[in-house]
Amino acid sequence: MLQVLACGAVVFPGLFFAFRKILPCVFKHWSDADVVLVSERLVSSLHAVMATTVGVIVATSCRESVIDDRHWLAPYFIVWYGVPYMTYDIFAMYLSHYHRFRVKGHEDYKRHSLRTVQSFVRREFLLVLHHIALLTILLPVTLFFRRDQGDFFIGCLFLTELSTPFVSLGKIFIQLSLQESWLHKANGGMVLLTFFVFRIALFPYMYWVYGRHYGIPLYSVPFHLPLSTNLGNVCILAPQVYWFVLLCRKGYRLYRRSRVPDSSPAATVTDNSKAD
């Protein structure tokens, strides 16, 4: 098991620290907070591309029977890359939080301490809870409690990462002072589109596919599934809906400010949402 975990456990932290060394050489005016933020976003985008690719392969390979068809990449990617990434990402988010407040001159952030960790957990509680839930609940379910069934739906869940590169790109555009460019605005539209389709609409689609497999209507699918499955889906879907509402609000503010002449630079629709 240690050999399995070593792959992602080396790749993601290794890339993160490599970016932290390379970016200051290219962008000499960036602060530590800027470098850590962009490094975190680049690694997140890489993982998202990997997960999306695996999701497409798994989902398209399990078309004959969405329940019984299997693909070796489904459990392989979870163990080799999913677990190490989620563990690494909590640490990377903490470092981004720490350096952001350290640059601002907060007294408590002169060094790492229990207080800085507690402040991070309070401010990013939903994201931290999301990551821990994936590690402690979703992981055991996908590996041990589904009786070798449902690889198609695991592949669909991998597809939820498709919006992450666009979210990360929005942050990077701001870092490069391109928040007023058409590229940033087009990227904001892609954030909203991919987030809605692959993080919200994907769930009723999976219910519809399940119903089609058993020949039952969509409205009957929740009553055909175990209560634990429905509760799990609700727990995954709820924060996605919350984050999507935040994205829509920021997108609306961006639109309103763009209509006002001589307004201050608008905040991006991805400003405070990591969306994992």
Side-chain angles (χ1 to χ4, degrees):
M1 180 61 74
L2 291 177
Q3 290 178 337
V4 172
L5 293 177
C7 187
V10 170
V11 169
F12 297 124
L15 286 172
F16 177 73
F17 287 109
F19 285 134
R20 287 191 65 184
K21 294 294 184 181
I22 295 171
L23 289 175
C25 299
V26 179
F27 303 98
K28 300 183 184 299
H29 62 286
W30 281 8
S31 66
D32 288 341
D34 299 331
V35 171
V36 171
L37 172 66
V38 174
S39 299
E40 178 201 356
R41 294 291 174 168
L42 289 174
V43 176
S44 294
S45 297
L46 175 63
H47 169 264
V49 171
M50 294 171 63
T52 301
T53 303
V54 170
V56 170
I57 294 172
V58 173
T60 55
S61 299
C62 301
R63 290 176 294 181
E64 292 187 10
S65 174
V66 297
I67 301 298
D68 297 317
D69 281 357
R70 307 225 47 211
H71 197 288
W72 63 272
L73 271 175
Y76 179 92
F77 185 81
I78 292 173
V79 175
W80 280 69
Y81 292 98
V83 174
Y85 173 76
M86 287 298 169
T87 306
Y88 142 81
D89 199 40
I90 294 175
F91 174 69
M93 287 191 300
Y94 165 73
L95 284 183
S96 181
H97 165 88
Y98 174 81
H99 285 285
R100 184 169 72 252
F101 282 89
R102 185 180 184 183
V103 166
K104 292 179 179 179
H106 288 256
E107 288 294 326
D108 292 338
Y109 287 82
K110 291 183 177 180
R111 63 182 63 86
H112 296 283
S113 66
L114 180 61
R115 182 172 294 181
T116 61
V117 174
Q118 291 174 336
S119 175
F120 161 69
V121 173
R122 284 196 304 269
R123 288 178 176 271
E124 305 292 346
F125 177 76
L126 190 57
L127 276 173
V128 173
L129 180 63
H130 172 261
H131 281 52
I132 292 176
L134 290 178
L135 287 170
T136 59
I137 300 176
L138 188 61
L139 171 66
V141 169
T142 55
L143 291 180
F144 307 115
F145 298 108
R146 58 188 180 95
R147 297 176 294 181
D148 295 332
Q149 294 181 322
D151 280 10
F152 170 83
F153 299 104
I154 299 300
C156 288
L157 289 176
F158 287 154
L159 294 178
T160 59
E161 289 292 333
L162 184 59
S163 63
T164 300
F166 297 105
V167 174
S168 298
L169 193 57
K171 282 286 191 180
I172 295 173
F173 279 146
I174 291 179
Q175 198 60 48
L176 297 174
S177 301
L178 296 175
Q179 60 265 40
E180 296 300 322
S181 68
W182 69 268
L183 284 173
H184 179 260
K185 295 175 182 178
N187 181 75
M190 289 301 299
V191 169
L192 295 176
L193 176 63
T194 56
F195 201 99
F196 176 78
V197 172
F198 292 98
R199 287 182 178 260
I200 297 177
L202 182 66
F203 285 86
Y205 169 75
M206 289 192 291
Y207 273 60
W208 175 78
V209 170
Y210 181 93
R212 187 181 65 172
H213 177 82
Y214 286 106
I216 58 177
L218 177 61
Y219 63 83
S220 297
V221 172
F223 304 101
H224 194 265
L225 291 169
L227 177 62
S228 58
T229 301
N230 290 314
L231 288 176
N233 286 328
V234 169
C235 290
I236 297 174
L237 182 59
Q240 313 304 326
V241 173
Y242 170 75
W243 286 322
F244 182 70
V245 171
L246 294 183
L247 290 174
C248 289
R249 287 179 177 176
K250 291 180 181 181
Y252 179 66
R253 288 201 298 268
L254 175 64
Y255 172 76
R256 288 189 60 185
R257 292 178 183 179
S258 67
R259 306 283 292 181
V260 178
D262 300 324
S263 61
S264 59
T268 175
V269 297
T270 60
D271 192 30
N272 289 319
S273 174
K274 185 178 176 63
D276 255 292

